[in-house]
Amino acid sequence: MEPIARIRTDFATKFGVPRQAGLVPELRGTVVFEPAYRNPDALRGLEEFSHIWLIWEFSEAKRDNWSPTVRPPRLGGNARMGVFATRSPFRPNPIGLSCVRLTGIRMDETLGPVLEIAGADLMDGTPIFDIKPYIPYCDCHPEATNGFTGQLDALELTVDFPEDLLAPIPAAIRPGLLGVLAHDPRPQYQRDPSRVYGLTFGGWNIRFRVEETTLHVCEVASA
């Protein structure tokens, strides 16, 4: 297989990328096709769908060997689960699957057709192998069970972002950034209230700490 496209997002590193697609619907991104696949005919009819599946590569998590069990970060990094019972990036084949909202398709003079999407959980530059429409009547299963993930705490944090620190951040990316921070980008097993963490988002370095249920932004600087 070869990549047909790459995604452009505000995440320069893995830290802070949402744990699942759609978790932060305010996030915006674009899918830019490789030159050999910039044929508008390949997208004919796609505009009629509200959501699409992205099949992509965990390009920053490649390993020569694989393990039948992994330690899901959301379980604190202590419990082992079968790799096929998780969405861990460390898999026999490093393939990811994300359902995102398709907000538009535009034509670019240089890049050809570009997909505008929302809610992606991918790093900037991630290779995409395929795109398929999300079809509600067969892809949606309201009766589905959550397995061990149903036990996880979905509490969102209160974000304390001082106005003087927020002011330099472009208005277009603020909702996505605030959503990422509210969903607690820290590893599940790190809960030190005195520790200062750093998140790179949209060309900005955001430094913060978390005290109980409040995330305090303490520094913002250009990346």
Side-chain angles (χ1 to χ4, degrees):
M1 292 192 298
E2 63 179 13
I4 64 165
R6 294 183 184 273
I7 195 168
R8 311 305 306 183
T9 70
D10 288 311
F11 294 102
T13 67
K14 292 184 291 184
F15 186 85
V17 174
R19 298 176 180 92
Q20 303 293 341
L23 195 61
V24 184
E26 298 87 358
L27 287 174
R28 296 293 183 265
T30 57
V31 174
V32 179
F33 290 90
E34 295 293 295
Y37 300 97
R38 292 176 182 172
N39 187 331
D41 288 341
L43 302 176
R44 189 182 303 168
L46 189 64
E47 73 280 357
E48 299 178 17
F49 295 90
S50 64
H51 292 72
I52 57 176
W53 290 105
L54 300 179
I55 300 172
W56 48 278
E57 179 184 36
F58 285 105
S59 52
E60 298 298 309
K62 294 181 180 180
R63 291 184 174 182
D64 294 331
N65 300 310
W66 73 284
S67 170
T69 61
V70 295
R71 300 176 186 268
R74 292 293 285 170
L75 292 182
N78 298 315
R80 281 195 171 274
M81 292 290 174
V83 64
F84 300 129
T86 75
R87 296 191 177 186
S88 167
F90 304 112
R91 322 184 67 79
N93 294 306
I95 296 174
L97 178 68
S98 297
C99 181
V100 298
R101 184 162 61 91
L102 179 64
T103 61
I105 303 175
R106 61 179 172 84
M107 287 297 299
D108 184 274
E109 292 184 1
T110 303
L111 303 175
V114 174
L115 304 184
E116 304 281 355
I117 62 172
D121 56 340
L122 287 77
M123 270 182 60
D124 184 57
T126 295
I128 295 175
F129 290 134
D130 202 4
I131 297 167
K132 300 180 186 292
Y134 175 91
I135 303 175
Y137 85 86
C138 59
D139 289 345
C140 180
H141 299 278
E143 77 284 4
T145 59
N146 293 326
F148 65 84
T149 64
Q151 307 170 20
L152 303 180
D153 186 1
L155 176 68
E156 292 188 22
L157 299 176
T158 299
V159 179
D160 171 27
F161 207 134
E163 187 59 36
D164 60 322
L165 296 181
L166 183 62
I169 306 296
I173 67 172
R174 288 182 191 175
L177 173 58
L178 293 172
V180 168
L181 295 175
H183 281 87
D184 196 350
R186 299 175 300 167
Q188 189 70 13
Y189 51 84
Q190 292 183 5
R191 289 294 180 265
D192 182 356
S194 65
R195 179 169 180 172
V196 176
Y197 298 84
L199 166 68
T200 302
F201 185 87
W204 295 87
N205 288 328
I206 314 296
R207 294 176 63 79
F208 65 90
R209 61 182 180 83
V210 179
E211 186 176 3
E212 296 184 349
T213 60
T214 301
L215 183 148
H216 302 275
V217 177
C218 48
E219 184 180 346
V220 172
S222 178

